[in-house]
Amino acid sequence: MAAGDEEGQAAEPEAAVELAVEGPRSFKDLGVTDVLCEACDQLGWKMPTKIQLEAIPVALQGRDIIGLAETGSGKTGAFALPILQALLETPQRLFALVLTPTRELAFQISEQFEALGSSIGVHSTVIVGGIDTMSQSLALAKKPHIIIATPGRLVDHLENTKGFNLRALKFLVMDEADRILNMDFETEVDKILKVIPRDRKTFLFSATMTKKVQKLQRAALKNPVKCAVSSKYQTVEKLQQYYIFIPSKFKDSYLVYILNELAGNSFMIFCSTCNNTQRTALLLRNLGFTAIPLHGQMSQNKRLGSLNKFKAKARSILLATDVASRGLDIPHVDVVINFDIPTHSKDYIHRVGRTARAGRSGKSITFVTQYDVELFQRIEHLIGKKLPAFPMQEEEVMMLTERVAEAQRFARMELREQGEKKRSRNDDDDDTEEAIGVRNKVAGGKKKKRKAF
C-alpha cells in the first residue's frame, strides 16, 4: 500500500485484554449510551456478542481496531455503535465511511445503521455500482452522516462529483477487508486513503487475516488493538458439515435428491459461475422447486429483489455465486450446499457461515467430484477437521436421472432464449444510439445553416 505507509508502520497491534469471567455483560456495561442501548433492545440485541464485548470498549476509548471474528458474529454492531456514540458527542455531516466488497452487504450495513440511529436522526447513504450516479450525487450533496460504499463507485464520485470530498471524515471502516483486497480493489483503496484525513479512527474488520490485510493494516492504522474472537480459521460449533463424493455427470441428480430429502428447509446453493447459477435455478424451477438466482450479471434491482424474496420466505432456495457468501445476514438459512466447491478454501468458511448464525444450528453439504479432491482436502486442512459423508441412497438418486435430464434440456433451451433476448436488446440499444447520432448530426447541420444566413 502506498498511502500513509509511515503511519503506525512499526507498531504491531496490541491484543485486546482478556475479559474477566465476571466482566461486562450488557451494552450499558460496555459504556454504550442509554439511547443506543434502547435501540439495541428494540432490535432484539439482548447481550453483546464476543466480538462486541472485545471491540466496543476499545473503540469507545478512541483506539484503532483490527477485528477478527467468524462470520455471523455481530461485527456490524461492533463498529456501528462506537461510531454512532461518537456522532452523538460531536455531531457533523460526512462523519464516517464504511467500505464493503459487495453491494448487498452495503445495503445490509446501511439498514443496521438506520435501525440503530433512527431515534437520533442518523442519515446514511449507499454508494454502489449498478445504480444511477446522478441520484447518488444528489444524495451526497445532502451530506449524510454515514456513507456505505463499494470502493470503485466511491472513487468515481470522489473524482467526478463536484463539491464532494471526505476531508472532514472522522471514521473509516473496512468491512470484510480481506475480500475487498482479494477482489482487486487495492488501487481504489489507495486512492481513498490519499484523500481522507490522517487524523481519523480506523476499524479493519475481517473473518480471515491475509498478507494483503496485514499490508493494509500498516498503511491505514495507528497503534491498533487486535480484537480476535478466533485466531484460527474455524466454522461455528452448531454447524453440521458433510460432504458427498459423486461422479461429475450426476451432480444435478444428487442436488435434486438432497432437496427432496431435506424438504421443508430453506437452502442457499453456491455455484462458481453466473451461468451455472442461472442454469441450475432454471433446472430446479422446471422440477417444481421455488428457486431464485443471485449473481453479478443481474441488474442491481433484480439482485435486491431476489434477496428480499428469499428473506421474506417467498422462495425457499437461493442459488448464488460468491457475491452472497460474505456478510449477508439471512436469519433463516437452514442448509448451505456447495454445489461447486470453492477454489479458495477461505471462501468455504464464508459460504457455510450463511447458516448456523447467532447461536442457531444448521447444515452444510459440499459436493466433491473426481476433479475436486485436492480442493476438498485443502478445506479440511484449513478447518482442522475431517468431514463425515452425508448418508445417501444411491439407487434413489439414479431413479431421478430421467426426470432431471428432461429438466436439463428445458433449462438449456431457456438459457439460450435469455441469451438471444439479451443480444437483441443490445443490438436495439446500438441502433438507437446510431439513430440519435444521425439526428444530432442533422440537427447540427441545420443549426449551422441558420447561423450562415
Side-chain angles (χ1 to χ4, degrees):
M1 281 283 167
D5 247 354
E6 62 272 27
E7 286 189 37
Q9 187 155 344
E12 277 302 304
E14 297 172 22
V17 180
E18 285 295 311
L19 291 164
V21 180
E22 296 299 313
R25 280 289 170 268
S26 72
F27 286 104
K28 192 167 176 60
D29 292 335
L30 298 182
V32 177
T33 191
D34 288 348
V35 67
L36 292 175
C37 285
E38 279 171 34
C40 291
D41 205 42
Q42 283 166 4
L43 283 178
W45 297 4
K46 301 300 176 201
M47 294 290 170
T49 64
K50 284 182 188 173
I51 189 66
Q52 290 165 357
L53 282 169
E54 293 227 8
I56 290 172
V58 181
L60 291 175
Q61 288 165 21
R63 300 293 299 272
D64 282 6
I65 286 174
I66 298 169
L68 293 178
E70 64 204 16
T71 187
S73 59
K75 290 198 294 273
T76 308
F79 61 75
L81 287 166
I83 287 172
L84 292 172
Q85 189 145 322
L87 182 60
L88 269 173
E89 288 161 12
T90 53
Q92 76 161 58
R93 297 291 180 162
L94 299 175
F95 189 73
L97 167 66
V98 183
L99 293 177
T100 80
T102 68
R103 301 167 184 183
E104 286 73 22
L105 184 52
F107 282 104
Q108 186 175 289
I109 291 169
S110 174
E111 282 169 17
Q112 291 218 338
F113 266 107
E114 295 276 353
L116 285 168
S118 59
S119 60
I120 57 173
V122 168
H123 294 289
S124 69
T125 293
V126 177
I127 302 297
V128 295
I131 288 172
D132 172 51
T133 51
M134 184 55 74
S135 60
Q136 289 179 347
S137 298
L138 293 171
L140 290 172
K142 291 177 183 170
K143 293 191 165 46
H145 300 103
I146 319 284
I147 296 172
I148 301 104
T150 47
R153 180 54 69 95
L154 183 73
V155 167
D156 274 358
H157 283 287
L158 284 166
E159 290 175 347
N160 302 312
T161 297
K162 203 174 176 187
F164 170 58
N165 67 69
L166 294 171
R167 288 197 285 268
L169 195 74
K170 292 289 183 279
F171 282 85
L172 170 68
V173 181
M174 290 193 214
D175 194 23
E176 304 287 0
D178 55 333
R179 185 65 179 269
I180 286 177
L181 298 176
N182 271 348
M183 291 173 86
D184 293 327
F185 286 127
E186 221 168 329
T187 313
E188 285 86 349
V189 170
D190 271 343
K191 286 180 179 175
I192 292 163
L193 289 176
K194 280 176 184 162
V195 298
I196 61 176
R198 292 195 168 195
D199 184 21
R200 62 166 194 270
K201 301 289 172 283
T202 307
F203 301 155
L204 205 64
F205 277 85
S206 182
T208 49
M209 195 72 173
T210 63
K211 286 188 177 70
K212 283 185 171 182
V213 174
Q214 286 168 331
K215 188 176 161 191
L216 178 62
Q217 166 201 322
R218 286 199 302 277
L221 283 78
K222 284 188 269 190
N223 301 324
V225 178
K226 188 176 180 183
C227 302
V229 169
S230 52
S231 54
K232 70 183 182 63
Y233 302 122
Q234 63 177 51
T235 48
V236 289
E237 286 167 24
K238 290 195 175 182
L239 174 66
Q240 298 171 295
Q241 301 171 79
Y242 300 95
Y243 78 95
I244 53 171
F245 188 62
I246 51 176
S248 180
K249 64 177 180 179
F250 293 124
K251 269 176 97 171
D252 289 346
S253 300
Y254 276 86
L255 178 62
V256 173
Y257 170 83
I258 283 173
L259 293 175
N260 284 332
E261 278 296 291
L262 301 175
N265 288 300
S266 66
F267 298 84
M268 273 187 85
I269 301 171
F270 283 100
C271 301
S272 56
T273 65
C274 298
N275 194 56
N276 204 25
T277 307
Q278 194 69 27
R279 181 199 71 83
T280 313
L282 292 169
L283 169 93
L284 293 178
R285 279 184 194 168
N286 285 326
L287 290 165
F289 293 99
T290 57
I292 196 159
L294 173 67
H295 56 76
Q297 286 179 4
M298 293 164 67
S299 71
Q300 187 57 38
N301 281 345
K302 280 190 175 168
R303 279 162 68 166
L304 286 173
S306 288
L307 201 54
N308 290 335
K309 278 178 189 169
F310 185 66
K311 276 185 173 178
K313 303 188 184 182
R315 300 287 184 278
S316 62
I317 301 168
L318 181 71
L319 290 111
T321 55
D322 279 315
V323 80
S325 73
R326 296 288 187 120
L328 294 187
D329 187 21
I330 305 163
H332 62 91
V333 179
D334 303 311
V335 185
V336 166
I337 296 175
N338 288 305
F339 185 62
D340 295 326
I341 199 163
T343 45
H344 299 292
S345 310
K346 287 172 194 169
D347 285 338
Y348 173 84
I349 293 167
H350 293 292
R351 286 182 179 191
V352 300
R354 297 310 97 214
T355 186
R357 293 173 76 82
R360 288 181 289 271
S361 58
K363 272 190 187 69
S364 74
I365 301 167
T366 298
F367 283 26
V368 184
T369 71
Q370 64 270 38
Y371 309 113
D372 306 324
V373 177
E374 193 187 334
L375 289 171
F376 181 62
Q377 286 169 338
R378 275 190 223 155
I379 288 167
E380 286 190 322
H381 177 71
L382 181 76
I383 62 175
K385 59 172 83 170
K386 288 272 178 203
L387 300 189
F390 186 77
M392 304 281 294
Q393 299 291 330
E394 309 291 335
E395 57 278 10
E396 287 184 30
V397 177
M398 291 305 114
M399 284 163 65
L400 293 166
T401 51
E402 216 170 295
R403 274 182 62 216
V404 169
E406 184 74 357
Q408 284 171 331
R409 200 166 58 79
F410 281 122
R412 279 195 296 271
M413 282 163 55
E414 284 175 70
L415 261 185
R416 260 201 309 276
E417 281 170 22
Q418 285 178 2
E420 281 163 15
K421 272 183 193 166
K422 209 173 189 178
R423 275 193 296 278
S424 70
R425 267 205 306 273
N426 289 344
D427 291 346
D428 289 348
D429 289 345
D430 291 345
D431 292 346
T432 309
E433 277 175 27
E434 238 173 81
I436 289 168
V438 169
R439 278 205 305 276
N440 287 345
K441 275 181 188 169
V442 171
K446 282 178 182 169
K447 277 177 193 164
K448 278 176 191 166
K449 281 178 186 170
R450 274 200 294 273
K451 271 186 182 173
F453 281 105

